[in-house]
Amino acid sequence: HIEKVVEGVCAGNLFFEMPTVHFFSEEAFCFGNNKVLKTREKKVVTLDIGAFRAKETIMQSEDDGKVYTCRELKSLAPHRCTFGYDVIVYVGYALFVHCRSEKDIVSELARKNISISDREVSFLGKKFVTYLAVAHRESRQKIRSAMDQRGGYILHVDGTCEGDSPHLFTGLDGIAEVVLDNIKIPSEQSELLIPFFEKIKGQYGDPIALVHDMGKGILSAIAAVFPGTPDFICHFHFLRDIGKDLMEDEYKKIRNRLKKHKIRGSLRRMAKSLERTAVQDRKVMVETSTEN
């Protein structure tokens, strides 16, 4: 019964009209003589409340003219933005972790009393990536300290691309499985990779080992930037290349038949569906183990 009550508690059930929430700067009431400079309103949408009208009272010191705004409101939503940080994170996880479509996300958020369009979901997804990149950049020193406490990091590097698109080349710590940096480059030539490796070296120091494929550009760039560092070939790439050499003819036959019967799209959709099911099953298992 409690779970049903909690599920039914949302802004749409609690308020007949969009509520107004007042925000003040606590700091302004604690220090000096202050006066009301102005008030401003904006619509804010969060997962906990849904849509509400945020009315902020901005104070100004009569002593030195310092302006006080509400930190709490800033922590809920970005400046001049409607959707809160929690909605942005929800959309980001749904798009990039759980592989949800924009329409699915619109439906999911509608059940949480949040009205949003497909276009806004796409825009919030881009915002999520931008904020994540900024947060990662600001956390580099903490990441390095954490890796140092574990005894260093193993640098795994690899690139991926589709068709004629640029290569997305990534370096991550193989121990913590944390992405350290990435870059878009037209190809994996050594002269393009050397600055990337030098940047990682400058930010995180020398790795205790490296793991990568057998690309000539990568081998040359690593020899130039990380001389003497233990260097290993990725087993996956090694076995894949051997399999390609040994079974190229058979692979071509399978690939051509898949193209002929036009079932690759169906297989991709099936794979995504199985992945979503696996994620949901994992969540259920975690929740069940937590309850027990």
Side-chain angles (χ1 to χ4, degrees):
H1 295 291
I2 295 177
E3 291 180 357
K4 291 182 179 180
V5 172
V6 172
E7 289 177 358
V9 176
C10 66
N13 296 332
L14 295 176
F15 306 105
F16 293 105
E17 297 180 355
M18 187 168 63
T20 298
V21 181
H22 295 269
F23 292 88
F24 302 88
S25 170
E26 294 183 2
E27 187 180 3
F29 290 100
C30 297
F31 303 102
N33 299 317
N34 301 297
K35 63 180 181 180
V36 175
L37 178 63
K38 62 179 179 179
T39 60
R40 59 187 179 189
E41 294 184 6
K42 75 170 185 175
K43 178 182 177 182
V44 178
V45 181
T46 65
L47 290 177
D48 291 332
I49 300 178
F52 64 92
R53 188 180 298 104
K55 187 172 184 179
E56 181 184 15
T57 300
I58 300 173
M59 309 292 289
Q60 185 177 34
S61 171
E62 293 183 329
D63 299 325
D64 57 10
K66 182 179 180 180
V67 176
Y68 296 93
T69 57
C70 182
R71 295 181 180 179
E72 184 181 6
L73 180 57
K74 290 180 180 178
S75 68
L76 291 177
H79 182 54
R80 295 182 178 178
C81 295
T82 300
F83 292 98
Y85 289 111
D86 56 353
V87 179
I88 296 174
V89 171
Y90 182 94
V91 169
Y93 267 79
L95 283 173
F96 305 117
V97 177
H98 304 304
C99 302
R100 297 283 197 274
S101 69
E102 293 172 356
K103 290 185 178 180
D104 288 340
I105 297 172
V106 169
S107 300
E108 292 172 8
L109 289 175
R111 291 193 290 270
K112 298 179 180 293
N113 197 46
I114 294 177
S115 177
I116 190 171
S117 67
D118 295 10
R119 188 173 181 179
E120 286 173 315
V121 167
S122 176
F123 179 68
L124 291 186
K126 295 176 182 178
K127 263 193 168 183
F128 173 81
V129 172
T130 302
Y131 284 136
L132 183 61
V134 172
H136 187 279
R137 189 179 301 116
E138 293 178 348
S139 303
R140 282 172 178 166
Q141 190 56 47
K142 293 181 179 179
I143 294 173
R144 178 166 184 171
S145 297
M147 293 191 301
D148 289 342
Q149 290 176 2
R150 288 191 294 267
Y153 71 102
I154 298 176
L155 180 59
H156 287 246
V157 295
D158 194 14
T160 182
C161 69
E162 292 185 7
D164 297 329
S165 63
H167 290 240
L168 178 62
F169 198 82
T170 301
L172 62 85
D173 173 18
I175 300 175
E177 297 184 350
V178 173
V179 173
L180 302 179
D181 209 338
N182 50 45
I183 188 175
K184 280 190 175 182
I185 50 179
S187 65
E188 294 183 8
Q189 296 180 1
S190 60
E191 57 266 27
L192 299 175
L193 294 175
I194 287 176
F196 176 71
F197 289 149
E198 288 177 339
K199 182 180 177 183
I200 291 180
K201 182 177 181 179
Q203 292 168 348
Y204 303 105
D206 285 309
I208 56 179
L210 298 117
V211 180
H212 52 84
D213 63 24
M214 295 173 285
K216 293 181 179 179
I218 296 178
L219 292 171
S220 178
I222 285 176
V225 180
F226 302 108
T229 301
D231 197 13
F232 300 92
I233 300 299
C234 172
H235 288 179
F236 168 78
H237 289 94
F238 179 69
L239 294 174
R240 186 187 65 179
D241 290 345
I242 290 179
K244 185 177 180 181
D245 293 338
L246 296 178
M247 305 185 69
E248 178 66 17
D249 293 338
E250 289 78 3
Y251 177 73
K252 282 184 178 180
K253 290 179 182 178
I254 295 175
R255 182 177 57 198
N256 291 335
R257 289 180 181 178
L258 290 175
K259 286 183 178 180
K260 179 180 178 180
H261 296 288
K262 299 180 180 180
I263 62 173
R264 289 196 299 176
S266 299
L267 291 175
R268 289 195 188 98
R269 288 192 293 271
M270 185 182 298
K272 287 185 177 180
S273 176
L274 291 173
E275 183 178 357
R276 287 195 294 267
T277 302
V279 171
Q280 292 173 355
D281 290 345
R282 196 177 301 118
K283 285 184 178 179
V284 172
M285 291 175 63
V286 171
E287 292 173 356
T288 303
S289 61
T290 303
E291 292 175 358
N292 295 334

